[in-house]
């Protein structure tokens, strides 16, 4: 998403862009795969803030796709937090959200109001923090500290520590952080800024690309092509070429070399600073030292399920389930599972993509799909590192099958009508993520979204190497919107203009009131 967005913005400015992707299919985590007559989305289950014609995110997506990308509303409830026997719905709309939470927690009305006010305050402060990343170096030196200050006040605190200043109700904290799987870290480890980004992002509901995630690359690729650019798949970069201290091109694993005025890496900072640059360049700029300030995010397993029957026949909901054990807080559940994966899953996320896409029934009649995701320590699967896809051995398949059965049991508990309807399933492991996405430790979300991350000045488009830039989730945050925004700030840095601001000036944004708060 980061490179697609940067590429489209640069193409719109008349630049000829070559996008190199090592996978056999483009799109990064927005790619889809097909098997046995089904299609699954890998890294998109819902996106927020694309509902308003004049909203920032909608305008950004419209810009890079020439208005071709369409969004389907998931309905009144986007997330359903399940803790033991209790279910807490997250309905769309700020007031709905507030009132529903107050019904669940009537004694906490004051804390809930204060919480939502804080979400908007911190979200507003994020604008100058992220805008600063695209400013000219001189402006960064003169005003950078001031631009980052108010956001950093919250970004450098953990989600738990901030929430504990608002309430001592542990159940409420557990519910409010019920989407922590969207950024991968439980409340005592995550930055409150990241928590706010996710909560605010979905407050107006969840949306899904009409036609599935493949529409993202499908609508952006023509914009890149219109300026003479292209996207190559099966094109793995082995090295970024540096001559006289400047990036001049890239070498592929198959020996091809491409040269260019500007090189942008969206392959993640870990890959870029640890693997893609020559050793002497890494040492000269102490990149091996700066990279020690960030850590890889958690790995995951995903169960891709195909079912006989249409989403309507199977009564599939559109809302996602977030299922948690009720005996411990999120941090306790994570710690317990990390020690022993036989213990209850710390989180089970169930998504029903075929029910969210209005074009599904026409594209795949009488079929449905479901994805179930849980966190999984990379260490559990590391013995299979270096083995070949589909030939990892019987013990690997057995471990996967055991996990798959546990996840299916969670599904049947919530949606018992699906017993006997499952036609096919396949579990991806952290090794699958490593294999297809090139995340060394099977990272789900690039680098961790902990308080330390937000202090890192190197997480911005500019690098110490002339003509080499970064983009993607690591320089903003994870999420399709985070990576999209990263693409815009990288292109803005290169073009010397704030593209988002320019876009927003083309038409006024909807007024700031009640549910329309931006
Ligand atoms: C299971 C899952 C569910 C998710 N659900 C959602 C969701 O519902 N909503 C949401 O907003 N976000 C979701 N996300 C997060 C979101 O998909 C990502 O944060 C975002 O797409 C990341 O985009 P990116 O461009 O930064 O990186 P990526 O999508 O990871 O792209 C980086 C690309 O670089 C390629 N690459 C790496 N090394 C090389 C090399 N040497 N040469 C060439 N190419 C290389 C990789 O193959 C990859 O395609 C989810 C992610 C996952 C994994």
């Amino acid at each position: 998403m980061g490179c697609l967005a940067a590429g489209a913005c640069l193409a719109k400015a008349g630049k000829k862009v070559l996008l190199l992707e090592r996978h056999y299919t483009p799109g990064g985590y927005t790619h889809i795969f097909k098997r046995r007559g089904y299609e699954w989305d890998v890294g998109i289950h819902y996106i927020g803030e694309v509902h308003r014609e004049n909203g920032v995110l909608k305008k950004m997506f419209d810009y890079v796709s020439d208005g071709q990308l369409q969004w389907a509303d998931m309905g009144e409830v986007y997330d359903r937090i399940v803790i033991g026997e209790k279910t807490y719905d997250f309905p769309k709309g700020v007031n709905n959200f507030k009132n529903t939470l107050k019904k669940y927690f009537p004694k906490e009305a004051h804390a809930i109001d204060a919480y939502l006010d804080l979400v908007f305050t911190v979200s507003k402060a994020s604008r100058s923090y992220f805008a600063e990343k695209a400013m000219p170096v001189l402006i960064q030196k003169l005003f950078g500290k001031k631009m980052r200050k108010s956001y950093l006040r919250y970004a450098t605190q953990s989600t738990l520590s901030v929430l504990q200043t608002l309430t001592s109700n542990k159940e409420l904290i557990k519910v409010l952080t019920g989407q922590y799987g969207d950024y991968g870290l439980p409340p005592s480890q995550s930055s409150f800024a990241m928590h706010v980004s996710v909560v605010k992002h979905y407050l107006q509901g969840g949306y899904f690309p009409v036609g599935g995630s493949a529409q993202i690359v499908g609508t952006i690729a023509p914009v890149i092509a219109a300026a003479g650019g292209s996207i190559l798949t099966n094109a793995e970069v082995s090295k970024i070429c540096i001559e006289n201290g400047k990036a001049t091109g890239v070498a592929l694993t198959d020996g091809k070399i491409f040269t260019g005025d500007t090189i942008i890496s969206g392959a993640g900072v870990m890959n870029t600073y640890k693997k893609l640059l020559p050793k002497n360049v890494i040492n000269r700029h102490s990149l091996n030292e700066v990279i020690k300030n960030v850590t890889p995010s958690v790995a995951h397993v995903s169960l891709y399920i195909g079912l006989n029957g249409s989403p309507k026949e199977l009564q599939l909901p559109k809302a996602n389930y977030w299922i948690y054990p009720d005996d411990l807080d999120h941090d306790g559940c994570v710690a317990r599972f990390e020690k022993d994966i036989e213990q209850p899953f710390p989180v089970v996320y169930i998504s029903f993509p075929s029910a969210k896409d209005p074009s599904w029934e026409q594209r795949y009649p009488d079929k449905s799909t479901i994805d179930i995701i849980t966190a999984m320590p990379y260490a559990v699967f590391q013995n299979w590192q270096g083995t070949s896809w589909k030939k990892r051995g019987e013990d690997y398949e057995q471990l996967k099958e055991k996990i798959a059965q546990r996840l299916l049991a969670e599904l049947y508990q919530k949606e018992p009508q699906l017993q006997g309807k499952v036609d096919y399933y396949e579990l991806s492991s952290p090794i699958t993520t490593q294999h297809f996405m090139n995340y060394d430790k099977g990272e789900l979300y690039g680098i961790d979204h902990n308080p330390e991350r937000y202090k890192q000045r190197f997480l911005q488009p500019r690098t110490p190497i002339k003509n080499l830039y970064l983009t993607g989730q690591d320089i903003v945050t994870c999420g399709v919107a985070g990576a999209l925004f990263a693409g815009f700030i990288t292109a803005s840095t290169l073009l010397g203009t704030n593209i988002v601001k320019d876009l927003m000036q083309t038409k006024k944004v909807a007024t700031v009131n009640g549910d329309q708060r931006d």
Side-chain angles (χ1 to χ4, degrees), residues 1-2 21-22 28-29 43 45-46 237 266 438-439 444 472-473 479-480:
M1 187 74 252
E21 167 56 57
R22 69 188 278 287
Y29 268 135
H45 299 282
Y46 61 150
V237 173
N438 207 21
Y439 286 105
L444 173 54
Q473 58 188 351
V480 173

Side-chain angles (χ1 to χ4, degrees), residues 333 426 487:
C333 292
E426 178 173 330

Side-chain angles (χ1 to χ4, degrees), residues 1-4 20-23 25-31 42-48 182 201-202 235-238 252 266-268 271 276 300 302 304 349 373 433 436-439 443-445 471-474 477-484 486:
M1 187 74 252
C3 283
L4 284 167
L20 299 164
E21 167 56 57
R22 69 188 278 287
H23 201 344
T25 182
Y29 268 135
T30 70
H31 80 270
V42 173
I44 297 190
H45 299 282
Y46 61 150
I47 292 181
D182 277 331
H201 183 59
Y202 294 116
E236 177 163 10
V237 173
S238 60
L252 302 197
N271 277 334
L276 296 180
H300 77 292
S302 186
Y304 298 96
Y349 173 75
I373 299 172
T433 309
F436 286 113
M437 303 300 297
N438 207 21
Y439 286 105
E443 293 95 305
L444 173 54
Y445 294 128
T471 198
Q473 58 188 351
D474 288 351
T477 65
C478 70
V480 173
L484 173 86

Side-chain angles (χ1 to χ4, degrees), residues 146-161:
K146 194 164 175 241
M147 291 179 80
R148 297 190 303 272
K149 195 175 165 196
S150 54
Y151 194 52
L152 277 177
R153 191 175 148 216
Y154 291 99
T156 52
Q157 297 183 57
S158 76
T159 306
L160 185 63
S161 61

